[in-house]
Amino acid sequence: MRTLAIIGSGPAGFYTAEAALKAMGDDIRIDIIDRLPTPYGLIRAGVAPDHQSIKAVSRRYDAVAKDPRVCFVGHVTVGKDVSIAELLDLYDDVVLATGAPHDRPLGIPGEELAGVMGSSAFVGWYNGHPDHAALAPPLDAETAVIIGNGNVAIDCARILAKTVQELQDSDIVNHALDPLSRSSIRAIHIMGRRGPHQASFTLKEVGELGELERATPLVRTEDFPPADADSTLETGQRRVVEVLRRYAGQGPDKSRPVTISLDFFLRPLRILGDGRVEAIELMRTRLDDEGRAVDTGETLTLPCGLVVSAIGYRTDPIPDVPFDERLGRFANEDGLIRPGLWCVGWARRGPTGTIGTNRPDGIAMAERIAGTPERHAADQPGDSAENRARKGLDALLTARGIEPTCFSDWQRLDAAEVARARAGAPREKIVTLDEMRALVAGEAQA
Ligand code: NAP
């Protein structure tokens, strides 16, 4: 009997669990531990609320969670409620699938001003993550600036630009939809420090910018290299650039009051304001021979009332786990941190790729674990290994007064969220841990 603790119930955690069940058959017991009482990580709190088809993958994870060999242990923070050393004592293997929940800092003056926030906070706010439910981003200015040229920047811009009707059937939380319905923001700028050829957008996300009810994408023709340079791009990027060139050819649409400007070759220098953001100072850049952004010396200042930095994420360090500060993830070799301790997904490779990228990552991890001898095999054969892990964790948490939640608790929360959804929406999320706890406790008594 092999016992596995997977820390984190997002895509990387669930794909690893699914693959481990396949690879190890009846001889595996898996506990999926999450610091929240709700599973699915990035699917629930990161994927845009108007991308419901991507969120539907959680049904596949449900099947894994309901497998009798799997147990969801919610509301337990590894590194605080239970240490890595304790888990390694209880389980044969511990897999960190904790993602990358923190924003990379911009590292420029003014970053601390009110109205400046990272995309993880902004996305967490409109997605109802308990950590960010109280964010209240300022929406009373005319101009918002989003820094970064990745899909997260586009997600943030699209949510700011959409009408209430366009968001009605998404699972955006009401605490975000209400203020967005009164938003004064009319000019949204997505700032890239390099050019259209170097942008990290994907086709679907760029295409959606051209299909918005009240917003038009704007791109400057002079930001593109000569058209024949596009032939050097790989197919996906070439298609993205084709769409951007089409936007550049269209110009503003007077019938649409909101603009989304894709401003290339601009690097943020500092954020200005007295207590809260009032403007951003930018340096115009150009590409050097290696394709890096270099300063031209020309600066400009753009008045704005909201700045969201969407420049990538970092993993949350855990005590006693070696961390690569430069790359913002656990120090590892192909997923191995030290004997018995592994990492997978963004915690292993950094914040790159789509949800689907985590599937092969999870499969590779499960196969590697299956091919490695059990650490506790000699002293805990058969069923007693399962007791050591699951019952051992229960005993340890009980002794500390910690009450974990299980998958049926989540199913109750899920049903409550579905029951209170506004018309057309799939759910209205519960956004505080207190309300989640009360609901679980109340239902349990009932
Ligand atoms: P990303 O794709 O890595 O993009 C980060 C952007 O930030 C890049 O344009 C980068 O520019 C820029 N940047 C980095 N440091 C900067 C700085 N100091 N100043 C200015 N700009 C800076 O990251 P992401 O958008 O956070 O997305 C993370 C991952 O999730 C990606 O793999 C993304 O595709 C994926 N995702 C997918 C979807 C979807 O499939 N629908 C949705 C959201 C996210 P340089 O290129 O110049 O470094």
Side-chain angles (χ1 to χ4, degrees):
M1 182 66 65
R2 186 115 183 193
T3 56
L4 187 59
I6 295 177
I7 319 306
S9 65
F14 266 109
Y15 282 126
T16 302
E18 184 185 63
L21 291 176
K22 243 186 216 146
M24 290 176 256
D26 285 341
D27 295 335
I28 180 97
R29 294 292 177 273
I30 303 173
D31 288 352
I32 303 179
I33 304 174
D34 201 292
R35 78 184 174 94
L36 293 180
T38 52
Y40 313 137
L42 205 64
I43 296 292
R44 183 173 158 95
V47 170
D50 57 343
H51 283 174
Q52 287 297 313
S53 58
I54 299 177
K55 292 200 181 218
V57 73
S58 65
R59 283 189 220 120
R60 178 178 183 145
Y61 305 156
D62 278 351
V64 175
K66 287 177 189 160
D67 189 292
R69 295 165 289 175
V70 175
C71 180
F72 174 72
V73 184
H75 208 204
V76 172
T77 303
V78 170
K80 179 173 146 263
D81 298 333
V82 55
S83 71
I84 288 290
E86 287 165 333
L87 289 176
L88 283 169
D89 212 25
L90 296 172
Y91 295 84
D92 289 311
D93 301 278
V94 176
V95 181
L96 304 176
T98 48
H102 296 308
D103 293 292
R104 285 186 52 218
L106 279 169
I108 59 172
E111 197 169 2
E112 71 297 340
L113 287 170
V116 182
M117 58 202 65
S119 55
S120 77
F122 186 66
V123 171
W125 169 69
Y126 62 63
N127 258 329
H129 191 295
D131 286 357
H132 306 296
L135 185 73
L139 303 172
D140 55 347
E142 186 162 336
T143 303
V145 169
I146 301 165
I147 299 165
N149 264 187
N151 283 332
V152 172
I154 292 195
D155 282 350
C156 295
R158 195 180 62 253
I159 295 297
L160 283 172
K162 275 194 166 181
T163 62
V164 172
Q165 289 69 33
E166 285 176 294
L167 292 169
Q168 191 69 22
D169 61 356
S170 74
D171 69 348
I172 189 168
V173 285
N174 282 333
H175 76 219
L177 190 59
D178 290 345
L180 283 169
S181 72
R182 298 187 296 276
S183 167
S184 304
I185 291 171
R186 294 293 175 267
I188 301 161
H189 293 262
I190 300 178
M191 302 275 176
R193 60 183 172 183
R194 298 190 291 158
H197 275 204
Q198 291 75 34
S200 302
F201 309 138
T202 50
L203 188 61
K204 175 177 183 280
E205 281 63 31
V206 168
E208 282 175 330
L209 292 180
E211 295 161 5
L212 300 172
E213 245 171 56
R214 61 165 186 171
T216 334
L218 299 178
V219 185
R220 293 179 349 144
T221 321
E222 52 269 44
D223 282 341
F224 290 89
D228 56 5
D230 294 2
S231 62
T232 61
L233 299 172
E234 53 87 20
T235 313
Q237 189 66 9
R238 195 169 63 244
R239 294 208 172 121
V240 165
V241 172
E242 275 165 19
V243 176
L244 293 172
R245 282 193 190 274
R246 180 155 54 78
Y247 293 160
Q250 283 166 354
D253 175 347
K254 292 251 161 40
S255 67
R256 296 184 170 154
V258 177
T259 56
I260 301 175
S261 306
L262 291 131
D263 299 336
F264 296 101
F265 298 114
L266 287 173
R267 174 174 87 77
L269 283 180
R270 60 188 172 129
I271 301 167
L272 311 167
D274 184 8
R276 64 170 276 189
V277 53
E278 291 166 26
I280 183 163
E281 193 177 303
L282 302 150
M283 167 67 72
R284 197 165 286 289
T285 57
R286 61 173 179 78
L287 291 181
D288 70 5
D289 291 343
E290 246 107 75
R292 289 175 305 214
V294 290
D295 295 349
T296 62
E298 180 192 345
T299 61
L300 56 147
T301 302
L302 178 70
C304 58
L306 170 67
V307 173
V308 179
S309 73
I311 62 165
Y313 296 126
R314 289 170 66 81
T315 294
D316 199 7
I318 296 178
D320 302 326
V321 181
F323 196 76
D324 186 327
E325 284 295 337
R326 191 178 61 83
L327 297 174
R329 56 162 171 75
F330 297 118
N332 73 91
E333 263 177 50
D334 273 344
L336 179 66
I337 298 173
R338 61 171 177 263
L341 183 61
W342 314 82
C343 57
V344 69
W346 281 7
R348 174 182 80 78
R349 63 178 198 273
T352 57
T354 60
I355 300 294
T357 315
N358 293 297
R359 189 160 173 264
D361 215 2
I363 292 171
M365 172 57 45
E367 283 171 358
R368 253 196 108 180
I369 292 174
T372 310
E374 286 169 43
R375 287 182 314 119
H376 296 306
D379 48 325
Q380 293 288 324
D383 276 354
S384 56
E386 185 181 359
N387 285 344
R388 173 196 189 121
R390 200 160 287 174
K391 291 193 177 155
L393 179 65
D394 278 349
L396 209 145
L397 294 174
T398 304
R400 289 173 190 171
I402 293 156
E403 291 179 27
T405 58
C406 60
F407 197 69
S408 60
D409 292 329
W410 154 243
Q411 288 174 308
R412 288 190 207 106
L413 294 174
D414 182 32
E417 290 186 346
V418 171
R420 63 187 212 162
R422 64 178 171 269
R427 66 180 62 247
E428 177 58 33
K429 286 179 192 163
I430 300 164
V431 302
T432 67
L433 292 175
D434 282 349
E435 198 184 342
M436 287 181 199
R437 267 191 294 259
L439 225 145
V440 166
E443 288 285 345
Q445 277 161 24

